[in-house]
């Protein structure tokens, strides 16, 4: 090989290696090498062909790179038709066999026959030299050179370079094949371990890849879907047309909006069932084709969880009715505004829950919902807007007042649950002025809680004024309690022994003298305190002042050689629930130097039943201080008799409602008699409340009551009067 040929060879090798290392093996790099070889050696053509095995028997040949001298048409990156064995001529079969064996084929076109001569002549090839490219011992393709002089022998350097380039292409193709196989293995591993379905398609929607997760999620085998269209496989039929149209729009769009976004849509399984999926799409653009890979995740569990959360947010679990938020959302979707709202409140549900447990009252709530549905007319809506509250929203053509009356009539009949028969009192608030739902609900609830207007109240503007006055009164009460003002003072009502007429003690009662309004009824300001969360602070103030008053009068009585009188103080439910109640009581007693046995604490049945275990714990702790414990207003709650044997009670105060009728109502007398006998059977002292005349006094004494309290034996009085109140005294 001449020095010139050597330099040409080195140049070609360096050019190919350098450009092939840049990743352009079958692109611009090889085209430049072919052009360089052709120009340096005065050739007419330089080309590289790759043999491909088609799906059906036969071989196809693809031109991967070529160069033609000026004046000749380049072969281009074309694909020769596939020639099956039974369609090939003898020369084609001979050349194929020789190339498979790795033999060089050279010669003149004029010596050829059949298809090969015709093809070579069409490309103006005169003399040719082809070297097989063998990859892994198999015929991969061939590197070819040609020139126009039939008598000119091949340049030794050109032939050597041809063999060298075939070897270098083989080596590069081997690297590519190895890398492709490695990539295939890696891809298969990644696709196999992916938790999401990975589906690749071409621009026609044909499925090219379908990983194991896709098989699992959609219920197809990979081999059954490769080559099928996506629309015919995993797209629900009702969305197939839209899918095809969307794919066309995407292919035509210069600014596609779906790439990289997460989209929720429906997928179809092999069995035809439809389920929700989350989709993300990526695109790979080839030289002439576009490919898309979809990553799909079955979000059925997520959607079910979302639906469950939505049900929790907008639906009442027990009744299946919308809750308040759900009602607001439903009404917002209706084109017409509501014309009326009826709010129904069942205050006794709390007492039932305390007595029988929430496992009893929740099914009762479902019964209430079922009964309230009977009051619905037309397009009216029913919702459970609170634990004890339901709301009916009415639209055009329905009258809220008539609906309220219908609800009232429905609850004149008793309910039954788990073999128990009982009545529930329903308070009803009605709003008839058309407006926004929240405003109408507010007005109906305001009517519901109106005092002294009956159990079914229609909202009017006077209620708003009353409500504003109530808010102002609440503010004044809060200020009075926090400032510990003397406008809030104590009165004391005597509790007298039936046998001796001795005053045993006094019940401490709070009174409020408002600077502008004068005396405010206890029932009013106590209710305000309970509703506004002030009952604990109010109770604390009452306790301190009552205990201090008791310490003062007992100090005076001791100096006169008289026996001590106790003070009876009411404890509210929030006080009983306070974790440090007993510790604070012990501290107050110590501060005023008063013994525990000189204090009686009264708890109502509703307080006891709201948190019975906590109430029992507090009662025991109070008794450990020497204090006594009484049940106040006995007989007005549920299961009154059943819990007497379980509660550590010292005193039973029979509610005034029984005493009021004891003279004229034999049933009341029998009930009071049973109460007294039962209490005494458990060693509990009995106080009859509300004794206002001699006839009632005679009855309770005859029935065995230990003590009495009421206007007959003493009205509530200031501390100075209580200190001087004599045994056997009577109210004037």
């Amino acid at each position: 090989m001449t020095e010139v040929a050597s330099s040409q060879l080195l140049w070609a090798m360096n050019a190919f290696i350098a450009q092939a290392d840049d990743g352009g093996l079958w692109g611009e790099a090889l085209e430049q090498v072919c052009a360089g070889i052709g120009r340096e050696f005065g050739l007419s053509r330089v080309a590289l062909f790759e043999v491909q095995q088609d799906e059906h028997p036969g071989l196809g040949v693809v031109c991967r790179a070529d160069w033609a001298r000026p004046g000749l048409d380049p072969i281009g990156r074309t694909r020769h038709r596939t020639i099956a064995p039974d369609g090939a001529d003898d020369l084609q079969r001979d050349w194929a066999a020789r190339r498979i064996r790795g033999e060089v084929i050279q010669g003149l076109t004029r010596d050829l026959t059949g298809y090969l001569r015709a093809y070579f002549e069409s490309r103006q090839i005169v003399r040719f030299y082809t070297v097989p490219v063998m990859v892994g011992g198999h015929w991969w393709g061939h590197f070819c050179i040609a020139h126009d002089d039939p008598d000119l022998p091949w340049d030794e350097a050109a032939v050597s370079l041809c063999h060298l380039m075939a070897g270098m292409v083989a080596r590069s193709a081997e690297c590519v094949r190895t890398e492709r196989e490695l990539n295939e293995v890696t891809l298969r591993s990644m696709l196999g371990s992916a938790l999401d379905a990975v589906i690749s398609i071409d621009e026609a929607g044909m499925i090219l890849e379908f990983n194991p997760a896709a098989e699992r999620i959609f219920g197809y085998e990979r081999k059954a879907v490769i080559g099928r269209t996506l629309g015919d496989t995993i797209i629900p039929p009702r969305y197939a047309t839209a899918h095809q149209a969307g794919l066309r729009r995407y292919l035509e769009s210069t600014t596609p909006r779906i790439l990289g976004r997460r989209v929720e849509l429906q997928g179809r399984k092999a069995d035809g069932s439809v389920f929700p999926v989350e989709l993300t799409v990526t695109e790979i653009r080839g030289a002439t084709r576009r490919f898309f890979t979809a990553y799909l995740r079955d979000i059925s569990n997520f959607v079910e969880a979302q639906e469950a959360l939505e049900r929790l947010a907008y639906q009442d679990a027990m009744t299946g009715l919308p809750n308040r938020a759900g009602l607001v959302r439903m009404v917002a979707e209706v084109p017409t505004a509501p014309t009326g709202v009826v709010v129904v409140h069942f205050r006794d549900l709390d007492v039932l829950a305390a007595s029988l447990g929430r496992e009893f009252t929740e099914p009762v709530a479902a019964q209430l919902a079922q009964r309230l549905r009977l009051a619905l007319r037309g397009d009216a809506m029913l919702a459970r807007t609170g634990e004890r509250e339901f709301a009916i929203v009415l639209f055009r053509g329905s009258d809220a007042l008539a609906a309220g009356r219908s609800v009232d009539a429905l609850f004149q009949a008793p309910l039954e649950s788990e073999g128990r028969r009982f009545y529930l009192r329903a308070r009803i608030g009605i709003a008839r002025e058309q407006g926004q739902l929240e405003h109408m609900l507010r007005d109906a609830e305001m009517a519901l809680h109106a005092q002294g207007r009956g159990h079914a109240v229609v909202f009017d503007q006077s209620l708003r004024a009353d409500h504003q006055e109530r808010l102002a009164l609440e503010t004044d009460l809060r200020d009075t309690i926090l400032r510990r003002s003397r406008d809030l003072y104590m009165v004391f009502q005597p509790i007298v022994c039936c046998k001796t007429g001795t005053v045993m003690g006094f019940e401490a009662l709070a009174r409020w003298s408002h600077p502008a309004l004068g005396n405010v009824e206890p029932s009013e300001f106590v209710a305000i305190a309970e509703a506004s969360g002030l009952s604990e602070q109010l109770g604390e103030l009452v306790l301190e002042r009552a205990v201090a008053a008791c310490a003062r009068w007992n100090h005076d009585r001791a100096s006169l050689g008289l026996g001590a009188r106790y003070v009876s103080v009411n404890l509210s439910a929030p006080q009983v629930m306070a974790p440090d109640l007993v510790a604070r009581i012990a501290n107050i007693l110590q501060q005023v130097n008063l013994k525990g046995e000189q204090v009686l604490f009264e708890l109502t049945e509703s307080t006891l039943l709201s948190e019975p275990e906590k109430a029992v714990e507090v009662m025991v702790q109070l008794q450990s201080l020497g204090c006594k414990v009484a049940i106040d207003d006995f007989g007005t709650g549920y299961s009154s008799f059943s819990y007497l044997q379980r509660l550590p009670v010292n005193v039973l105060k029979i509610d005034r409602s029984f005493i009021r009728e004891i003279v004229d109502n034999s049933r009341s007398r029998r009930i009071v008699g049973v109460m007294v006998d039962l209490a005494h059977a458990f060693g509990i002292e009995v106080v009859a409340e509300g004794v206002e005349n001699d006839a009632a006094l005679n009855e309770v004494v005859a029935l065995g009551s230990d003590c009495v309290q009421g206007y007959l034996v003493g009205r509530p009085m200031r501390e100075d009067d209580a200190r001087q109140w004599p045994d056997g005294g009577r109210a004037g």
Side-chain angles (χ1 to χ4, degrees):
M1 184 180 292
T2 66
E3 184 177 345
V4 173
S6 298
S7 64
Q8 291 170 342
L9 178 61
L10 290 173
W11 170 84
M13 291 172 58
N14 288 334
F16 178 79
I17 293 171
Q19 296 188 50
D21 284 346
D22 288 338
L25 178 60
W26 311 130
E28 184 179 354
L30 191 56
E31 295 278 4
Q32 292 178 0
V33 171
C34 291
I37 293 173
R39 284 193 295 266
E40 289 296 323
F41 291 97
L43 303 176
S44 61
R45 290 188 184 276
V46 181
L48 175 70
F49 295 91
E50 180 184 354
V51 176
Q52 292 183 343
Q53 181 78 47
D54 282 1
E55 294 178 0
H56 51 79
L59 296 177
V61 179
V62 178
C63 182
R64 289 301 187 190
D66 81 300
W67 171 86
R69 67 168 169 76
L72 293 180
D73 293 331
I75 297 174
R77 301 201 176 188
T78 58
R79 179 185 180 96
H80 298 281
R81 65 182 179 86
T82 300
I83 301 176
D86 58 357
D89 57 35
D90 292 340
L91 184 60
Q92 286 176 304
R93 285 195 291 270
D94 177 60
W95 277 26
R98 292 173 63 187
R99 282 171 170 159
I100 289 173
R101 292 195 298 268
E103 295 180 13
V104 172
I105 298 176
Q106 60 174 315
L108 298 172
T109 299
R110 67 191 180 194
D111 297 332
L112 302 179
T113 60
Y115 170 80
L116 290 173
R117 178 169 181 168
Y119 178 76
F120 278 32
E121 286 179 346
S122 70
R123 297 298 176 182
Q124 300 180 40
I125 297 173
V126 177
R127 178 182 288 275
F128 56 87
Y129 189 97
T130 66
V131 180
V133 177
M134 308 300 289
V135 177
H138 299 282
W139 176 34
W140 178 91
H142 38 276
F143 194 83
C144 307
I145 57 176
H147 67 69
D148 296 330
D149 189 343
D151 300 319
L152 181 67
W154 290 107
D155 186 285
E156 183 180 347
V159 171
S160 297
L161 185 57
C162 187
H163 282 269
L164 182 60
M165 289 306 301
M168 293 177 65
V169 169
R171 181 178 179 277
S172 297
E174 175 68 20
C175 291
V176 170
R177 184 181 67 84
T178 303
E179 184 177 356
R180 183 184 294 120
E181 289 178 354
L182 178 61
N183 289 340
E184 284 285 331
V185 171
T186 303
L187 178 61
R188 288 286 167 216
S189 176
M190 292 173 61
L191 291 176
S193 61
L195 298 178
D196 294 340
V198 181
I199 303 175
S200 295
I201 63 171
D202 61 14
E203 65 268 17
M206 291 291 185
I207 297 175
L208 307 176
E209 184 53 68
F210 203 79
N211 76 329
E215 292 181 309
R216 183 177 64 255
I217 292 173
F218 289 96
Y220 289 101
E221 290 188 8
R222 181 178 183 275
K223 63 183 179 182
V225 298
I226 297 298
R228 291 176 57 175
T229 64
L230 197 68
D232 292 337
T233 308
I234 67 167
I235 304 295
R238 64 177 181 273
Y239 299 129
T241 302
H243 163 71
Q244 291 295 335
L247 183 58
R248 284 196 303 272
R249 284 195 304 272
Y250 174 79
L251 292 171
E252 295 167 0
S253 173
T254 56
T255 56
R257 293 176 297 175
I258 193 172
L259 288 184
R261 294 178 54 204
R262 290 185 178 182
V263 181
E264 289 187 15
L265 42 78
Q266 299 290 312
R268 176 166 61 93
K269 296 187 178 183
D271 62 6
S273 60
V274 176
F275 66 106
V277 296
E278 183 181 75
L279 166 72
T280 305
V281 177
T282 60
E283 178 184 357
I284 298 175
R285 297 198 179 209
T288 60
R289 301 178 67 187
R290 298 167 72 177
F291 303 93
F292 308 94
T293 298
Y295 303 89
L296 300 107
R297 177 173 299 174
D298 183 352
I299 57 172
S300 300
N301 292 339
F302 174 73
V303 170
E304 289 172 3
Q306 273 192 322
E307 291 173 351
L309 287 174
E310 184 160 337
R311 284 194 297 272
L312 287 174
Y314 295 105
Q315 189 180 83
D316 175 61
M318 176 52 64
T319 63
L321 294 173
N323 57 18
R324 192 183 190 100
L327 179 64
V328 171
R329 186 171 69 164
M330 286 174 55
V331 171
E333 295 172 353
V334 177
T336 58
T339 57
V341 169
V342 177
V343 175
V344 188
H345 182 85
F346 298 95
R347 61 183 180 183
D348 293 335
L349 274 179
D350 274 352
V351 182
L352 270 180
S355 177
L356 301 173
R358 300 208 175 274
E359 63 276 7
F360 178 83
T361 55
E362 283 300 283
V364 170
Q367 280 196 51
L368 296 175
Q370 187 174 358
R371 187 171 290 190
L372 283 168
R373 286 189 178 95
L374 300 176
L376 301 183
R377 297 290 183 272
D379 52 2
M381 297 178 182
L382 175 64
R384 189 181 185 187
T385 52
E387 196 166 347
R388 298 176 292 170
E389 197 168 278
F390 294 81
I392 298 174
V393 178
L394 306 167
F395 296 90
R396 195 177 306 279
S398 299
D399 180 63
L401 183 57
R405 289 171 177 164
S406 176
V407 169
D408 190 26
L410 287 172
F411 289 96
Q412 300 305 311
L415 290 96
E416 289 189 13
S417 181
E418 297 183 6
R420 297 175 183 269
R421 186 169 178 269
F422 52 89
Y423 291 85
L424 284 182
R425 293 169 291 179
R427 289 189 61 84
I428 302 169
I430 303 169
R432 304 177 70 185
E433 295 183 10
Q434 185 171 348
Q436 294 183 7
L437 176 62
E438 285 289 4
H439 294 168
M440 298 180 74
L441 283 170
R442 178 196 63 196
D443 291 346
E445 288 165 349
M446 194 179 296
L448 180 81
H449 296 293
Q451 300 294 320
R453 296 203 183 192
H455 65 280
V457 182
V458 178
F459 174 82
D460 59 40
Q461 292 303 323
S462 66
L463 282 176
R464 194 182 307 282
D466 291 346
H467 184 68
Q468 291 171 352
E469 290 178 7
R470 184 180 176 87
L471 287 176
L473 203 59
E474 177 188 324
T475 301
D476 293 340
L477 178 61
R478 189 180 299 274
D479 290 341
T480 298
I481 293 173
L482 294 178
R483 290 187 291 106
R484 307 178 70 81
S485 169
R486 288 294 171 182
D487 292 337
L488 190 68
Y489 61 93
M490 304 304 304
V491 295
F492 302 90
Q493 186 173 27
I495 300 169
V496 178
C497 176
C498 290
K499 294 180 180 179
T500 64
T502 303
V503 176
M504 307 303 294
F506 293 88
E507 181 177 0
L509 303 167
R511 295 292 184 265
W512 184 23
S513 178
H514 191 279
L517 303 177
N519 290 328
V520 181
E521 287 294 323
S523 59
E524 184 174 3
F525 74 77
V526 169
I528 291 174
E530 290 176 349
S532 58
L534 291 170
S535 56
E536 189 174 355
Q537 294 95 315
L538 175 61
E540 180 91 358
L541 184 59
V542 168
L543 174 63
E544 290 178 5
R545 292 182 175 176
V547 168
C550 181
R552 286 191 290 269
W553 75 54
N554 281 339
H555 178 270
D556 292 348
R557 290 180 64 81
S559 65
L560 298 174
L562 301 174
R565 291 172 171 173
Y566 66 80
V567 66
S568 180
V569 182
N570 290 280
L571 291 178
S572 65
Q575 283 179 285
V576 173
M577 294 304 108
D580 60 342
L581 171 68
V582 177
R584 285 188 282 117
I585 289 174
N587 184 53
I588 292 171
L589 293 176
Q590 184 178 10
Q591 287 178 357
V592 298
N593 195 26
L594 186 68
K595 296 179 180 179
E597 56 262 26
Q598 295 172 12
V599 182
L600 172 69
F601 288 102
E602 299 186 15
L603 288 77
T604 62
E605 285 186 276
S606 60
T607 297
L608 290 171
L609 292 174
S610 62
E611 292 284 349
E613 293 183 3
K614 176 65 175 177
V616 169
E617 178 186 346
V618 170
M619 294 167 77
V620 171
Q621 291 175 349
L622 290 174
Q623 289 173 338
S624 69
L625 297 178
C627 305
K628 291 185 178 181
V629 180
I631 299 179
D632 194 18
D633 301 333
F634 185 79
T636 59
Y638 289 85
S639 302
S640 301
F641 298 112
S642 64
Y643 60 67
L644 276 183
Q645 59 183 333
R646 295 185 288 108
L647 295 178
V649 179
N650 304 108
V651 178
L652 195 69
K653 299 188 75 173
I654 299 176
D655 187 71
R656 65 185 69 249
S657 60
F658 295 100
I659 307 303
R660 188 183 306 119
E661 300 179 354
I662 197 170
V663 175
D664 302 318
N665 189 323
S666 60
R667 185 171 180 271
S668 292
R669 282 197 300 275
R670 287 196 297 272
I671 292 174
V672 172
V674 171
M675 290 179 182
V676 172
D677 291 343
L678 188 62
H680 286 166
F682 292 119
I684 299 172
E685 182 181 329
V686 176
V687 176
E689 297 183 289
V691 176
E692 299 182 356
N693 53 62
D694 287 321
L697 176 62
N698 292 335
E699 289 290 350
V700 298
V701 170
L703 291 172
S705 179
D706 300 290
C707 296
V708 294
Q709 179 181 348
Y711 286 177
L712 179 66
V713 297
R715 292 177 176 272
M717 61 193 74
R718 294 274 191 160
E719 179 187 339
D720 290 342
D721 295 327
R723 184 184 294 115
Q724 301 172 20
W725 190 257
D727 291 332
R730 288 287 187 98

